[in-house]
Amino acid sequence: MELRRWPRKNDPDSIRARQEELAPRLDGEREVFEHDLTPFAKATEAITGVALVPVAVVGPLDVELGDYALEEPDGRLVERGRGREGVYVPLANTEGGLSISLYRGARAVGESGGFRTYVLKDRITRASAFLFADVGEAVAFARWIEAQVPEMQAWLASDPVANLSRHARLRELETHVVGPVCHVMYAYTTGDACGMNMITRNSYALNQGFVLERAPIRPQRAMLEGNMGGDKKPSARYFERGGHGKTVVAEATLSEEAVRRVLKTSIDDLAELAFVGTHGAVASGMQSVAFTPATAIAALFTATGQDIGMVGTSSMAHGTARRVDGGLHVSMRLASLEVATVGGGTTLPYARSWLRLMGCDGPGKVYRLAQIVTAATLSLEISASAAMATAGSENFYRAHFERGGLR
Amino acid sequence: MELRRWPRKNDPDSIRARQEELAPRLDGEREVFEHDLTPFAKATEAITGVALVPVAVVGPLDVELGDYALEEPDGRLVERGRGREGVYVPLANTEGGLSISLYRGARAVGESGGFRTYVLKDRITRASAFLFADVGEAVAFARWIEAQVPEMQAWLASDPVANLSRHARLRELETHVVGPVCHVMYAYTTGDACGMNMITRNSYALNQGFVLERAPIRPQRAMLEGNMGGDKKPSARYFERGGHGKTVVAEATLSEEAVRRVLKTSIDDLAELAFVGTHGAVASGMQSVAFTPATAIAALFTATGQDIGMVGTSSMAHGTARRVDGGLHVSMRLASLEVATVGGGTTLPYARSWLRLMGCDGPGKVYRLAQIVTAATLSLEISASAAMATAGSENFYRAHFERGGLR
Amino acid sequence: MELRRWPRKNDPDSIRARQEELAPRLDGEREVFEHDLTPFAKATEAITGVALVPVAVVGPLDVELGDYALEEPDGRLVERGRGREGVYVPLANTEGGLSISLYRGARAVGESGGFRTYVLKDRITRASAFLFADVGEAVAFARWIEAQVPEMQAWLASDPVANLSRHARLRELETHVVGPVCHVMYAYTTGDACGMNMITRNSYALNQGFVLERAPIRPQRAMLEGNMGGDKKPSARYFERGGHGKTVVAEATLSEEAVRRVLKTSIDDLAELAFVGTHGAVASGMQSVAFTPATAIAALFTATGQDIGMVGTSSMAHGTARRVDGGLHVSMRLASLEVATVGGGTTLPYARSWLRLMGCDGPGKVYRLAQIVTAATLSLEISASAAMATAGSENFYRAHFERGGLR
Amino acid sequence: MELRRWPRKNDPDSIRARQEELAPRLDGEREVFEHDLTPFAKATEAITGVALVPVAVVGPLDVELGDYALEEPDGRLVERGRGREGVYVPLANTEGGLSISLYRGARAVGESGGFRTYVLKDRITRASAFLFADVGEAVAFARWIEAQVPEMQAWLASDPVANLSRHARLRELETHVVGPVCHVMYAYTTGDACGMNMITRNSYALNQGFVLERAPIRPQRAMLEGNMGGDKKPSARYFERGGHGKTVVAEATLSEEAVRRVLKTSIDDLAELAFVGTHGAVASGMQSVAFTPATAIAALFTATGQDIGMVGTSSMAHGTARRVDGGLHVSMRLASLEVATVGGGTTLPYARSWLRLMGCDGPGKVYRLAQIVTAATLSLEISASAAMATAGSENFYRAHFERGGLR
């Protein structure tokens, strides 16, 4: 195989060179090349064209949102107030029925008193690993490093090396010894950014500049990530405890009237579906208890420049449904919702605008965005469940069949 | 909350009405509205604008691809031949470092003899559920329905109701009784489409027109999906056995020379990382054994009009690394890769072109696409691992830091 | 450290030699040595003494049991009839409250119409593994071996080597390729024995005498067990599908009267506990949905000479509770209950007698035993749940506190 | 069904009444009734007879044990010293080959320098659950209760109600909100007892006397256990983090010489088996990475009066194997080993003696016992792996076949 290097630069000549090289493979379809790529030149190497995804907008979602901030120095979330408003959500998708179904769920909740959302936790984790000669050394190292957090915080604050992120603040660390390896889970907060790049830089600096310099037992190897970190791979650890983004819960109490009139089903139907679906999830070793959390999250992530590779981890979902007086209480817990309102893809055109539509562009908005995404996810979950819960799931079938859009 | 209905239609007036209603929330940013939405009008209700994602292209990936077809009548995959070629892959992403890293992995493999890919299985599952008065009834029903597959196949072929899909072919079914519920996993093949809509229609027809008409014991309720089906939620069932798309494996044997020269690391480094990372995954209850499978899959899915909500399930990954004479054998198994070359978002502009770039547009190409995606995923995995495996993971750090793109 | 060999034989002199060597460590406590060990001399090497566990007996459990047999040649279970009777169960345990609690559950069910039990599946698996040079070879091997079951059955029946078990009948096999390895799950039935020894012998013979002789691609290594077999380690595979023993379900419908009078709680209380406990199990990544299945299984296993190392796998449990007219329907599914009525520890004194108490000694009784164990497990589950479900779990507390036995 | 009450008392007349009632079902086999039950009268209600299990003893295991104590007031484990000795282990079992195999593993390690063991953590958890009207209340309650640990500790120390355990010391608590439920994991240390009864009493007192009295938001229901507690059900939470007993690691470095001479295999063979077996475990959704941890644990638990129902949770195991200079490093991590040297079944004859054999009877010995059990588990794991790793697993087959004992 020929090993000529593929040009990676994003100057106009390099872009054009790539396009010309590839054009023959496209049989004259050049629309993908015909956008101004300048605004995107720093987004990815070897940029060559664009993808364009249609965006539906539905709303308003009637949501009571919490106003959250991190308490210093421990980084615990505190709720400073709550407010209710109507929000429109942009859904980049090509799945006929999705947007109208989500809207139906939102209307049912709107008629029932609205959503309420809560952010429970905010951490993002880089799990470095240190390999030793034996378990005894790894255990001794674990004991040592567990006591270093204050010193590490001070060291990072002293600006010891260039290009550290000030937004990424180390909050805690946790160790896990298995075999001759000590995994170290560094937990950070990262402001309004998702923060993986930030915490990578800071963790690398910690490992090289602090740990390897000071550890009483020198590891054979230091690895920036030893795969306990939950980055883009769902795991039991992060499903239970969060730690890769925001842990958020949305809830609503559906009235009998709204269930009947808007959702065209009954509380009984929904309760029986919850029974069947919860045990079905357990039976197949599904981690999430939910019908379709990833659908709404994917549509919002694509519209707003989030990392699409994080759709799977952000969709680790635990939904509940419980009869209460006069209706059905429903909730959706997203354990590790990885969203940003600054940095990465959120800085680009289109993404920026769709964030703005929700009042989520720029700093200080990340908890707002996390709550809106969770409410939207619960909206779709309610509607999809309602469609499935009718006799024989007739409504679900119709949604797929009649409004199935592209086939 | 005001309950005025939000317009859902996609005629020009409705589109404009939505745009005007929302414009004030965008502070004059109207670029998201300024594309011709006509080609997308059937893709989603309430279409209002677009999202635009930059696409990098890298290559060639040197891949030996299998040529697969379904054997009738049992629907087993047979390999009809194998061929080697160079493929360019479109990566819709905004993650600096991604495309160049994937390319580096591809070069290392190219210098080592190329990728080889295999499709092991092709099924897509809808898991209906039938609720009975007690377990005894559910068990008796299970015994009955397990024997009905030939009759069901004949019934579906007889065109009993309108709008059934002929592409969706029922192949097997499996039951699972838990409590008074009998879950029925209908397993289909769906040609080159992903097929969730097709199998939803056919399963609904089966439940209503066949099962409820003929079952010796009538269930209290029939639900089209009882949540054992693995749709957009990772599960142990589909991780092990496949059944929600294509089960594909890619492999390569990295030469020492390529590891050293292209990947800037050593076989020892990579082997030790595999040891640490595999046990790290187990320790945190991660299902996948891999570093970053979702990253490549998300970028290819976004470029080619796949269902972004399926990024999580499609990324259920099992990677291995093993020293062999003269190098390191690496492989990546994707258990349930949900790709299509016809239907849904793949029919739209942009998506169509990016599929064409890979020679994957249209019928007869879905196994080709599945294999290319898997090879690309292994490319990135190799490169990310190599970056992580160097002393202190210096290269991984540099990739994030120096080429980190947008921050 | 001194490396003198410890004597392993079980002749009287060797036994006495061990006892004398160890006596000084026991400070004169010789009761553990003072039983006649003759009947146990073949049970374990290096036999030196005995353990003695008190056995409670409670009953009767009112159970409607199925009468099952294997259908030939496919080995599917068929139910030949059903009968109702009262069974007393022996519970080897030292946990104050256990036996009386199990009895309370049985009484509540007895007053509500009794248990009904069903055996869904019977298989036991040895998962050999074959290591190849690469994935391509492993895939080709998998295709080959999947087609060999009839030939393998014929080969085993031809008595090709000495000491094969005729009781262990190969029924199916399944392959799983991951990396350069092809795992082969051989699924057997083993009559009334648990059968691990039998299937080990037969699988070894198959690997050495059939597979390695005939396979078109020779593996680098053949391993009798590659750890996909579920032997004594709970796994998602065997939790869902069974395959390591008997898959059994027990059910009952508790009447309001029995719940109130015998269990001292209410249907409401039990239903709310089921809601909380099911979601609690999911939240912590628990595989089972149950409160205390292992307790009853351990007590019955210890009394009846089952393999205590299989308590964990046999306790993979999926319980449900659902309100129905006039009561609460409850069920318990044990996915892989590993019981025997012949072979191993069941042949010994004490074990034999306790099996006889239940009418489960000897051939043709293994499905009966499996059903009784499952009904007993559901008995205790009902009672423990009832204790937990009262206001503040007062009854559970009292059970532990007042009847807590040894402390 | 007749509902006459079965007598539960353990006075001689009641015992005899049960025996006479059941005798006809035993066809004259009365040996199970012929032991003096007096010493066991408080161990279980409805005592009727005994089970007798043969006990093999093998050794010495050459182990370097840590000497651990809890540091006050935080309850962290500190290591006060390390010492090396030879230990004999009692194995109550009827599995031919077990004891001799475990002994072989111990000899291989003994010739290679011995085991080293470490206790990483000691906690036992009761997970109460509080059900609220909605998520908002549950979240507010969680915030409140997380701050109450010091007050709870003071309250418990004030002897507020009778019969609290002083041995059970509350160390931390953790909350988990899912739906309208706040789960509260109370983590205790319990001295040398396993402690489930103790922590049940104290948690009940906390819930009734502290939480319900003081909580700013009153729950609808308080449940002593909401099934996040890991009691007798393996879970991802307790596999990763421990918290249901002792987290212990044993390690050894096998010399090439010992592997060849004692284990009759090679480092290469063992390393390849570790590769295959680790990925086999992942493929089947097995939590443990090990071949047979439950076997040794069950045998030691049965001999020493531990709770047999805890065999499954105590066997959550994570083993590693890694080539090092001159040999193979192996380790075994038991996440939640639930052992006691006081209380419960350990106070009874036989159990007491077998504990004494290991120098583990009475107070101050629980960490010693935990380490010995872990070393024994690793012994058997090494030997079983070695048998499996030989060409075709010939040695494993022979062990089952030739020494298979009872069949």
Side-chain angles (χ1 to χ4, degrees), chain B residues 194-208:
Chain B
C194 179
M196 284 310 293
N197 278 353
M198 290 178 189
I199 70 171
T200 295
R201 290 204 295 281
N202 288 18
S203 299
Y204 180 77
L206 274 174
N207 291 348
Q208 300 297 313

Side-chain angles (χ1 to χ4, degrees), chain C residues 30-43:
Chain C
R30 298 188 59 98
E31 189 177 357
V32 292
F33 296 154
E34 290 169 352
H35 287 259
D36 176 14
L37 299 178
T38 319
F40 303 100
K42 295 181 73 171

Side-chain angles (χ1 to χ4, degrees), chain C residues 1 6 29 35 45 48-49 51 53 55 57 97 99 103 163 197 221 224 233 269 291 350 353 393 400-401, chain D residues 1 6 29 35 45 48-49 51 53 55 57 62 97 99 103 163 197 221 224 233 269 291 350 353 393 400-401:
Chain C
M1 172 128 301
W6 184 242
E29 288 184 0
H35 287 259
E45 304 85 0
T48 309
V53 188
V55 175
V57 178
S99 58
Y103 177 53
N163 288 308
N197 279 353
R221 289 163 186 273
L224 190 45
K233 285 104 36 187
D269 287 346
F291 277 93
Y350 299 87
S353 297
S393 306
H400 273 252
F401 172 47
Chain D
M1 172 128 298
W6 183 243
E29 288 184 359
H35 287 259
E45 305 85 359
T48 308
V53 188
V55 175
V57 177
D62 175 2
S99 57
Y103 177 53
N163 289 308
N197 278 354
R221 289 163 186 272
L224 190 45
K233 285 104 33 185
D269 287 346
F291 277 93
Y350 300 86
S353 297
S393 308
H400 273 252
F401 173 47

